[in-house]
Amino acid sequence: MKMNRKSFLKIAGLAALGSVVKTKASNITHYLDNHAQTFNMHGYSAPKLDKVRVGFVGVGSRGSGTVIRLASIEGVEVRALCDQLPARVNSSLEFLRKEFPGHNPITYSGSGEAWKKACEQEDIDLIYIATPWKLHAQIAIYAMEHGKHVYTELPVGITVEECWDVVATSEKTRKHCYMGCGSAHDGISAVVLNMARQGLFGDIIHGEGHYIHDRVSDNKVRWERDKKNNSWFGYRPWRLQENVNRNGNLYPAHGLGPVSQIMDINYGDKMDYLVSISSDDFTMTNKMQEMSEIDSYYEPYKGLKFRGNLNTTIIRTHRGRTIMLQHDISTPRPQHRFDLISGNKGIYRAEPDRIAINSEKWLPEQEFNALVEKYTPEMLKRFEDKRKQAGQGHGSRSYEQVAVSDWRLIDCLRNGLPLEMDVYDAALWSVITPLSEWSVANQGATIQVPDFTNGAWKTNKRGMDVSLQHGGTTNLV
């Protein structure tokens, strides 16, 4: 049976709903990528913006934190705040007036489609999206169609078709679509990227990235509802629903981002195919039974089929490298993301950070620290200088603190530079989810990974200017 792209999109969409029918691996064939690139957004420099006027769509927990982060960067003007719940908009507005009195945004709330008004507002350059996942693609597309660049939380889309549509819209409108993945810029990830580019590990052979984050065990933090805050709970209502009747790697980008940058994926290499398997669920069904006895809110979740606890996805690239991704947010494991880079001359391993070079023994701590100091890129050094000049920032939570990726996004827009992570990265890192679901549903069968660059990966130049040859002029406030 030959599967064309439309048939595959339909099946992958069903997989995202947990409804795909299992088929024999022998019946699976790759689908043809017939997407014609209309304009290459990789390396594209949009006209520079002295001021980056931002509209925020979704100002709950993470969205409110991003208002704080971006308002802390020179040249950012907050022009719109939008959320379905008026209380959230009012809370962010109150904070802005107190801490950043120069901002006077228009507010939108009270409707499930209030975000359209924000996207239509004329004096906005960048729309930031922090809504539930299912809205990301449609808001991003609508915003670009209305002349806005886009900065979205993970993922940019939850189906293969959504990812293609976002790419096509970005190319058509020549508006950037940037998906936040700070782990590709920050800390040790950027250091290891610089090490790899300088040849410390030799030819890169294998990489590993995970999203390991226990969001189940602690009832008080994760499951007790805050009735003063729209019955919000730490696991989040919409995220709980995403984990029902879906089985795959639902959040690959944090671990995948650094590995993809180090392997030059989308500029020098591409992903060819993947396989994915999941364990059974050993915790979520039990947790819903436990919580339903404490809080009737969880009664409807009793007896539902939840995602398997641990998903493992293996990807092979065109140049013969391999990537292993794991996803587990429902067993008691310490948090873990970017994990390993292995080459023919050396290896980096996280947790704890360590390196071996031409040896089966890890370097002593002193030698490791010396390497980190030697290979810390100018991007990190410059950002740290600007952070110290500005003080400790305005927020206490991790996602209220300005990240290197936030700073570089605004810096690139203000200097008219290409973005370091573009729409093709956003689509590729997001599409792993529906592909992994398809593979899991088909007993770990192989499936081809789309080439969103339509072959441009062969000639695209590297992204992420870690040496800061251009830009780096934007301050923190």
Side-chain angles (χ1 to χ4, degrees):
M1 177 181 73
K2 189 170 183 178
M3 187 183 297
N4 61 31
R5 178 172 171 252
K6 286 186 176 180
S7 298
F8 175 79
L9 293 175
K10 183 176 180 181
I11 291 175
L14 289 173
L17 297 175
S19 305
V20 70
V21 177
K22 292 182 179 180
T23 61
K24 293 181 180 179
S26 59
N27 290 333
I28 298 173
T29 59
H30 72 276
Y31 62 93
L32 295 177
D33 175 3
N34 58 6
H35 170 71
Q37 186 179 78
T38 58
F39 181 82
N40 190 356
M41 289 298 293
H42 181 81
Y44 170 65
S45 300
K48 68 169 63 175
L49 301 167
D50 181 50
K51 298 289 185 182
V52 181
R53 302 167 298 178
V54 185
F56 293 85
V57 178
V59 288
S61 58
R62 292 202 65 85
S64 63
T66 304
V67 173
I68 298 171
R69 296 203 322 266
L70 295 194
S72 302
I73 303 175
E74 179 188 16
V76 169
E77 293 184 356
V78 180
R79 291 294 179 91
L81 297 172
C82 175
D83 197 283
Q84 187 172 355
L85 300 174
R88 291 177 175 172
V89 171
N90 293 336
S91 177
S92 287
L93 184 61
E94 181 180 350
F95 179 87
L96 273 177
R97 287 174 173 169
K98 179 181 178 182
E99 299 291 337
F100 302 95
H103 299 268
N104 188 30
I106 297 174
T107 60
Y108 304 93
S109 62
S111 165
E113 293 195 341
W115 55 267
K116 289 186 177 180
K117 296 295 183 182
C119 293
E120 293 165 1
Q121 186 175 319
E122 291 186 2
D123 63 342
I124 289 177
D125 304 302
L126 176 70
I127 288 289
Y128 166 79
I129 305 169
T131 65
W133 297 343
K134 64 182 181 180
L135 297 174
H136 288 188
Q138 60 179 296
I139 296 175
I141 290 168
Y142 195 83
M144 287 186 285
E145 289 175 340
H146 285 80
K148 314 298 190 291
H149 299 301
V150 169
Y151 174 9
T152 181
E153 289 279 345
L154 312 170
V156 78
I158 59 174
T159 67
V160 181
E161 189 166 16
E162 282 187 345
C163 292
W164 276 113
D165 288 345
V166 168
V167 168
T169 304
S170 179
E171 292 178 352
K172 178 182 68 175
T173 61
R174 300 194 183 185
K175 292 298 177 182
H176 291 300
C177 185
Y178 175 92
M179 186 176 73
C181 181
S183 55
H185 279 80
D186 295 341
I188 193 65
S189 300
V191 176
V192 175
L193 171 62
N194 196 34
M195 289 175 172
R197 288 186 175 179
Q198 298 297 322
L200 183 66
F201 306 115
D203 292 330
I204 303 301
I205 300 168
H206 177 72
E208 297 181 14
H210 311 311
Y211 189 69
I212 308 296
H213 190 179
D214 181 8
R215 306 187 70 90
V216 171
S217 300
D218 191 328
N219 282 1
K220 186 171 182 59
V221 172
R222 300 301 180 190
W223 301 107
E224 285 188 13
R225 293 187 297 136
D226 183 357
K227 296 182 179 180
K228 294 181 180 179
N229 184 18
N230 300 287
S231 290
W232 183 91
F233 54 91
Y235 195 90
R236 298 182 178 89
W238 61 267
R239 193 163 194 162
L240 177 59
Q241 294 166 16
E242 290 285 356
N243 282 267
V244 177
N245 291 328
R246 301 186 65 185
N247 204 0
N249 189 323
L250 302 192
Y251 211 61
H254 278 307
L256 179 58
V259 175
S260 292
Q261 293 285 354
I262 290 168
M263 289 188 177
D264 290 331
I265 302 296
N266 281 341
Y267 32 91
D269 200 358
K270 75 178 185 74
M271 298 180 188
D272 271 358
Y273 58 86
L274 65 76
V275 297
S276 187
I277 60 173
S278 291
S279 72
D280 283 346
D281 165 47
F282 292 86
T283 63
M284 288 297 291
T285 300
N286 295 337
K287 179 59 69 173
M288 291 301 97
Q289 176 65 41
E290 173 191 341
M291 293 310 302
S292 68
E293 296 171 0
I294 300 172
D295 184 344
S296 61
Y297 174 90
Y298 297 103
E299 189 73 27
Y301 292 95
K302 286 172 54 178
L304 297 182
K305 185 174 179 59
F306 285 88
R307 171 193 50 76
N309 296 125
L310 177 63
N311 173 270
T312 300
T313 298
I314 306 292
I315 302 167
R316 181 179 168 90
T317 78
H318 182 79
R319 293 180 60 184
R321 299 153 164 167
T322 55
I323 302 170
M324 184 179 79
L325 306 174
Q326 290 191 319
H327 177 273
D328 180 2
I329 61 170
S330 52
T331 65
R333 298 174 62 180
Q335 186 169 336
H336 206 28
R337 293 188 181 183
F338 172 46
D339 188 60
L340 180 145
I341 284 294
S342 180
N344 64 356
K345 292 183 179 179
I347 183 172
Y348 160 81
R349 166 74 82 177
E351 304 293 338
D353 296 326
R354 54 205 188 277
I355 287 175
I357 302 296
N358 291 319
S359 172
E360 62 180 10
K361 295 183 179 180
W362 301 110
L363 292 176
E365 183 178 1
Q366 186 175 0
E367 293 183 37
F368 171 82
N369 291 338
L371 281 177
V372 170
E373 182 177 357
K374 176 181 178 180
Y375 287 99
T376 296
E378 178 62 24
M379 179 179 66
L380 290 189
K381 294 177 182 177
R382 186 87 55 87
F383 176 76
E384 184 61 19
D385 288 343
K386 293 183 180 296
R387 190 189 67 81
K388 289 179 179 178
Q389 292 170 10
Q392 295 301 309
H394 298 272
S396 58
R397 297 175 296 181
S398 61
Y399 48 84
E400 295 172 338
Q401 302 295 317
V402 182
V404 183
S405 53
D406 301 316
W407 173 65
R408 279 298 282 162
L409 168 63
I410 300 302
D411 187 61
C412 288
L413 291 175
R414 295 186 72 219
N415 284 285
L417 298 172
L419 300 192
E420 295 179 329
M421 297 184 295
D422 54 43
V423 69
Y424 306 112
D425 299 317
L428 180 62
W429 302 348
S430 299
V431 83
I432 300 304
T433 294
L435 297 183
S436 69
E437 291 177 89
W438 189 92
S439 182
V440 168
N442 288 277
Q443 298 182 340
T446 301
I447 192 68
Q448 185 180 359
V449 179
D451 172 20
F452 292 103
T453 75
N454 194 36
W457 62 271
K458 299 174 185 177
T459 54
N460 282 343
K461 295 180 180 180
R462 278 177 170 168
M464 284 197 65
D465 179 15
V466 293
S467 62
L468 270 190
Q469 296 180 20
H470 305 284
T473 58
T474 299
N475 295 317
L476 305 181
V477 298

